[in-house]
Amino acid sequence: AQSVAQPEDQVNVAEGNPLTVKCTYSVSGNPYLFWYVQYPNRGLQFLLKYITGDNLVKGSYGFEAEFNKSQTSFHLKKPSALVSDSALYFCAVSWGYQKVTFGTGTKLQVIP
Amino acid sequence: EAQVTQNPRYLITVTGKKLTVTCSQNMNHEYMSWYRQDPGLGLRQIYYSMNVEVTDKGDVPEGYKVSRKEKRNFPLILESPSPNQTSLYFCASSLETSGRGSSYNEQFFGPGTRLTVL
């Protein structure tokens, strides 16, 4: 079965420090991987995606993610966290036709 | 402004009283989808639509209906709501890249509808 896991319910990081939000997936075939962010009382917003090509993907607001096929991971990273990055982050994986599965979400708290 | 709109944003209702949550997008997207968000479960897909008059079940379709009579609109219908349908609902849309469906393209989400069924 296709699945995506976000092993951490919450990640705390000090402002200015690098941040990582983890995502692993299980998909037969080649996956399409996405990261979305949800601010309080808002819908999800697209951050970045991996379809094919370069394993390091750059996205909005200074975020990037690295696709690692051998570890089946797609961790979200940012070199220097901002307080305004505090939000709920979702990893999603697509496969086949029209099928998409979201992770359970990771709450990122950036501490001033 | 490109957007997905949902109405109402908040709704409190009682068990068994039929309701409809509307969704509209102005981006001419072929693909539209409904999700529910519950604590600890993330987003789960309820129904999706590839285009006008083409709909299919997602992972949790029980108790819901949809229709796609126009490209821009994709209403979610709860014929007889029950308390276990209390949730936060999101509508989303994306382009449909030929041969790849929506799997290839990022989705644009509406602001959400918080539904409480008493």
Side-chain angles (χ1 to χ4, degrees):
Chain A
Q2 327 300 342
S3 65
V4 59
Q6 295 181 243
E8 301 155 318
D9 291 335
Q10 181 159 335
V11 170
N12 297 320
V13 63
E15 186 177 22
N17 282 3
L19 70 88
T20 299
V21 182
K22 296 179 180 177
C23 172
T24 59
Y25 65 91
S26 174
V27 171
S28 56
N30 294 321
Y32 301 146
L33 295 156
F34 300 80
W35 275 103
Y36 290 87
V37 60
Q38 184 181 29
Y39 297 103
N41 300 313
R42 303 284 297 274
L44 278 72
Q45 297 176 35
F46 168 74
L47 275 179
L48 51 80
K49 67 180 178 182
Y50 172 82
I51 302 299
T52 187
D54 193 346
N55 289 343
L56 184 63
V57 179
K58 294 188 183 298
S60 307
Y61 311 121
F63 284 93
E64 59 187 28
E66 185 167 12
F67 172 64
N68 187 317
K69 189 171 184 178
S70 63
Q71 297 186 4
T72 61
S73 67
F74 190 57
H75 300 333
L76 181 70
K77 299 183 179 185
K78 188 174 182 181
S80 178
L82 300 173
V83 172
S84 57
D85 292 330
S86 298
L88 187 57
Y89 290 81
F90 288 96
C91 181
V93 59
S94 290
W95 76 97
Y97 195 69
Q98 304 300 344
K99 295 296 185 181
V100 57
T101 296
F102 283 81
T104 52
T106 298
K107 183 178 180 180
L108 174 67
Q109 191 76 34
V110 180
I111 303 162
Chain B
E1 179 188 358
Q3 61 182 347
V4 178
T5 57
Q6 295 179 228
N7 283 292
R9 294 289 312 280
Y10 303 90
L11 179 60
I12 301 174
T13 189
V14 295
T15 299
K17 185 177 181 181
K18 181 179 178 180
L19 67 91
T20 299
V21 183
T22 65
C23 172
S24 183
Q25 50 94 5
N26 62 1
M27 294 168 280
N28 202 35
H29 286 166
E30 295 84 3
Y31 178 88
M32 297 186 75
S33 182
W34 276 102
Y35 297 89
R36 59 178 290 174
Q37 182 180 8
D38 301 289
L41 297 177
L43 270 75
R44 293 179 291 168
Q45 190 174 47
I46 302 171
Y47 270 95
Y48 63 89
S49 171
M50 282 287 295
N51 214 323
V52 176
E53 303 292 2
V54 182
T55 63
D56 205 350
K57 297 177 180 178
D59 296 320
V60 288
E62 294 78 19
Y64 304 95
K65 285 176 58 178
V66 293
S67 68
R68 188 91 180 272
K69 293 181 171 34
E70 303 169 283
K71 195 172 185 179
R72 64 183 292 125
N73 296 323
F74 190 45
L76 178 70
I77 303 157
L78 284 72
E79 294 269 4
S80 183
S82 62
N84 65 12
Q85 293 178 297
T86 292
S87 187
L88 180 58
Y89 291 86
F90 288 102
C91 180
S93 72
S94 71
L95 288 170
E96 196 279 330
T97 304
S98 59
R100 297 183 183 275
S102 72
S103 299
Y104 197 77
N105 296 304
E106 59 270 26
Q107 297 184 63
F108 292 78
F109 283 81
T113 295
R114 187 167 292 281
L115 172 65
T116 301
V117 183
L118 303 175

